[in-house]
Amino acid sequence: MKFGGMKKKLMMVGLLASIGWFGTAAADSSTSSAATAESMELLSIGKNYIGTPYVYGASGIWGTSFDCSSYTQFVFRQLGISLPRTSVEQAYVGEKVAKAYLSVGDLVFYKTGSGWISHVAIYAGNGKILHASTSQGVTISDMNSSYWKSKYVTARRVL
């Protein structure tokens, strides 16, 4: 391949990556996806709210308090992605992904109370989740701790 052809190919790859093609093409539930610029931006936005208090039923519109699903809804909205309001509704958005193939930015769902789904978090990589916790507000937790590991239900890829 001539240099000019290689240069065009690299430019196309860069363009496709910048418009999110890799994020959607890698949404197959049997594969993980490398962290993209978009998923890293999502994580960065989410981390800005660490310490924000948890309030059950909080709308999260102003970013001053959250419940788990208003937090995920708020963070994704900063990237122009609309999510439904509740964790149960969010569990139907995007494509299901196996726990072994989680990628940064995936939504992770738990049964912490009654019902099928009662908590949602954002996968932060390296077995960590970013979420609005009832006891700590927005925080990062280890999803492999005995508490979270026993309550895991499913995950969805939206990015």
Side-chain angles (χ1 to χ4, degrees):
M1 179 181 281
K2 292 182 180 179
F3 176 73
M6 177 63 86
K7 186 175 178 182
K8 279 185 182 178
K9 186 174 182 179
L10 289 173
M11 287 175 52
M12 182 59 107
V13 168
L15 174 63
L16 291 173
S18 70
I19 61 172
W21 182 82
F22 289 113
T24 55
D28 181 345
S29 63
S30 64
T31 62
S32 61
S33 167
T36 64
E38 187 177 37
S39 66
M40 295 310 292
E41 183 179 358
L42 179 85
L43 203 57
S44 177
I45 291 166
K47 285 180 178 180
N48 285 331
Y49 293 90
I50 288 178
T52 302
Y54 178 95
V55 175
Y56 180 78
S59 71
I61 290 173
W62 305 112
T64 56
S65 64
F66 301 104
D67 67 11
C68 66
S69 56
S70 68
Y71 174 68
T72 55
Q73 185 183 49
F74 178 85
V75 173
F76 275 80
R77 185 175 37 232
Q78 305 312 302
L79 292 181
I81 298 168
S82 179
L83 291 179
R85 175 60 185 90
T86 70
S87 56
V88 171
E89 293 170 324
Q90 290 178 13
Y92 292 99
V93 175
E95 187 164 338
K96 186 174 181 176
V97 62
K99 188 177 185 181
Y101 298 106
L102 288 172
S103 294
V104 171
D106 288 346
L107 292 173
V108 185
F109 298 90
Y110 297 91
K111 179 180 178 168
T112 58
S114 62
W116 174 57
I117 301 280
S118 50
H119 190 70
V120 60
I122 299 169
Y123 185 65
N126 298 318
K128 305 291 185 197
I129 55 172
L130 180 60
H131 63 119
S133 151
T134 57
S135 61
Q136 299 176 316
V138 176
T139 190
I140 295 176
S141 299
D142 183 350
M143 69 180 288
N144 295 312
S145 71
S146 57
Y147 179 80
W148 291 111
K149 192 172 188 175
S150 68
K151 297 183 178 340
Y152 178 87
V153 176
T154 191
R156 306 292 287 193
R157 185 159 300 148
V158 178
L159 296 178

